[in-house]
Amino acid sequence: MNKDKVLSGMQASGKLHLGNLVGALSNWVKLQDKYECYYFIADWHSLTTGYADPSHMKESTKDLLINYLAAGLDPEKCTIFIQSRVIEHAELHLLLSMITPLGWLERVPTYKEKQQELKDRDLSTYGFLGYPLLQTADIIIYRAKYVPVGVDQVPHLEISREVARRFNYLYKEIFPEPEALLTEFPKVVGTDGRKMSKSYDNAIYLSDSPEEVERKIRTMVTDPARVKKTDVGDPELSPVYHLHKIFSSKEEQEYIANGCRTAGIGCIECKKILIKNVLKVMEPIWQRRNELLRDPDILQDIASKGTEKAKKVAEETMQLVREAMGLY
Ligand code: SF4
């Protein structure tokens, strides 16, 4: 029986952190057993905002591929590929641009938000405006049924559904309207208590060394009420406890919550438990990362085979699209 297709990707724009691992990659690993999954490295998307400085692109693409594999994506179970190597995405993007009203792109909420957020860059470009359309091409070229997203990202899929619907109405019923595969992502806080993010400089990276991870957790902010070990605290106000909720066992969480509220444990002991548990999750990832870093040929091989597989499916769709749009 054919499995439903799932598609997702990440931008090749820097190192991955624990938030990316817990929020997306771990979920992708589970999905690869149940669906026909296509996971890509969105290098063109990185250029929509980072076009002025592409110096890191090759290195970031390689690092992202390593992280995909180190986190547990298995090229035998899913298709892993590099977006720019499947040029059919660009062809479909171009053809979809013929039928997409400008207003649809201008009203995508992230269009204005990101321009505000990245004020130091000139994002009044055609490529940045067309980002959601390229994203649509990425998804529908595989005629994917699902895109794994958190509930706050569901509106972003709406434009892809609208464009697929418009194409089907104008020409031929080729594209399924992609649906959100809702996932509950735990919110991962960074070392300063805000959402873990590269831009806040509060992230624990998959490429950090064990010593760096330990140092970052040791210096994390805690409940400000606990100045001395004898002060009682509220674990819910401590970012350390929020990470315990993700990485520690139920028993440990209870022990810590009680100990924090009654001043039964100190922050140093509490953080030591967290360090132990985070290292346990990261150790197999580091091991795999090191193996892959030592063997660049295997990375080339995986990227080439995955790209070839993706290209075959994309090309099949494009033949239907060209035919439907009257192209020779
Ligand atoms: S004991 Fe743990 S949870 Fe409580 S304030 Fe200290 S670090 Fe945070």
Side-chain angles (χ1 to χ4, degrees), residues 15 49 60 68 100 142 154 194 201 215 231 245 252 268 270 283 310-311 320:
K15 303 186 285 185
T49 51
S60 299
Y68 277 6
T100 305
Y142 298 98
V154 174
R194 291 183 291 175
D201 195 21
R215 182 188 56 76
D231 296 329
K245 285 186 185 168
E252 284 170 323
I268 294 175
C270 173
E283 256 147 26
K311 218 173 155 55
L320 299 174

Side-chain angles (χ1 to χ4, degrees), residues 267-306:
C267 295
I268 294 175
E269 186 195 344
C270 173
K271 288 176 173 178
K272 270 189 185 156
I273 300 172
L274 181 63
I275 290 167
K276 172 192 79 159
N277 293 335
V278 170
L279 291 182
K280 209 179 342 166
V281 170
M282 294 186 85
E283 256 147 26
I285 296 177
W286 286 326
Q287 202 182 338
R288 187 92 178 106
R289 272 184 62 87
N290 288 337
E291 284 163 18
L292 291 162
L293 281 167
R294 280 196 298 270
D295 193 353
D297 289 350
I298 200 165
L299 291 176
Q300 275 293 351
D301 193 50
I302 290 169
S304 301
K305 284 193 179 133

Side-chain angles (χ1 to χ4, degrees), residues 45-281:
H45 282 292
S46 308
L47 289 176
T48 57
T49 51
Y51 62 87
D53 177 18
S55 56
H56 65 92
M57 286 285 290
K58 281 193 185 142
E59 214 31 57
S60 299
T61 300
K62 181 177 157 197
D63 196 55
L64 188 53
L65 177 60
I66 292 176
N67 282 326
Y68 277 6
L69 298 165
L73 292 188
D74 178 350
E76 298 295 320
K77 294 182 181 172
C78 63
T79 303
I80 303 169
F81 65 96
I82 297 167
Q83 182 189 31
S84 64
R85 301 261 299 271
V86 185
I87 52 165
E88 286 80 357
H89 288 226
E91 185 185 357
L92 184 57
H93 176 213
L94 172 80
L95 294 177
L96 295 178
S97 75
M98 309 293 174
I99 67 165
T100 305
L102 218 47
W104 288 11
L105 295 169
E106 284 163 343
R107 67 164 198 256
V108 171
T110 40
Y111 178 60
K112 294 240 156 61
E113 279 165 27
K114 257 220 154 129
Q115 274 185 328
Q116 286 297 322
E117 200 183 301
L118 302 171
K119 274 210 180 102
D120 55 327
R121 301 184 200 177
D122 178 5
L123 296 182
S124 55
T125 56
Y126 171 68
F128 182 66
L129 178 68
Y131 178 106
L133 203 53
L134 179 57
Q135 206 166 41
T136 301
D138 298 332
I139 301 166
I140 68 176
I141 203 164
Y142 298 98
R143 287 177 277 168
K145 177 158 186 194
Y146 293 121
V147 180
V149 288
V151 74
D152 53 331
Q153 295 162 309
V154 174
H156 301 167
L157 249 193
E158 200 40 46
I159 187 166
S160 301
R161 295 170 56 79
E162 275 180 316
V163 172
R165 209 176 303 144
R166 186 162 165 90
F167 182 97
N168 292 344
Y169 169 76
L170 285 172
Y171 308 109
K172 196 177 173 193
E173 201 63 38
I174 292 179
F175 299 115
E177 287 177 32
E179 293 168 34
L181 189 60
L182 278 182
T183 320
E184 274 211 22
F185 300 125
K187 185 181 160 220
V188 182
V189 295
T191 49
D192 59 359
R194 291 183 291 175
K195 185 178 172 216
M196 190 175 284
S197 161
K198 269 192 293 261
S199 37
Y200 294 150
D201 195 21
N202 65 1
I204 297 173
Y205 293 103
L206 301 190
S207 54
D208 282 346
S209 66
E211 293 73 27
E212 272 168 307
V213 174
E214 197 173 332
R215 182 188 56 76
K216 285 181 179 177
I217 296 178
R218 239 189 310 109
T219 53
M220 265 184 91
V221 285
T222 59
D223 174 2
R226 292 208 75 186
V227 180
K228 300 191 295 295
K229 196 179 165 185
T230 47
D231 296 329
V232 293
D234 180 352
E236 294 300 337
L237 299 179
S238 170
V240 178
Y241 186 64
H242 285 274
L243 291 187
H244 273 296
K245 285 186 185 168
I246 300 171
F247 296 102
S248 302
S249 67
K250 284 271 170 260
E251 293 74 32
E252 284 170 323
Q253 287 175 40
E254 258 170 52
Y255 170 71
I256 286 149
N258 287 336
C260 183
R261 286 193 186 102
T262 57
I265 58 164
C267 295
I268 294 175
E269 186 195 344
C270 173
K271 288 176 173 178
K272 270 189 185 156
I273 300 172
L274 181 63
I275 290 167
K276 172 192 79 159
N277 293 335
V278 170
L279 291 182
K280 209 179 342 166
V281 170

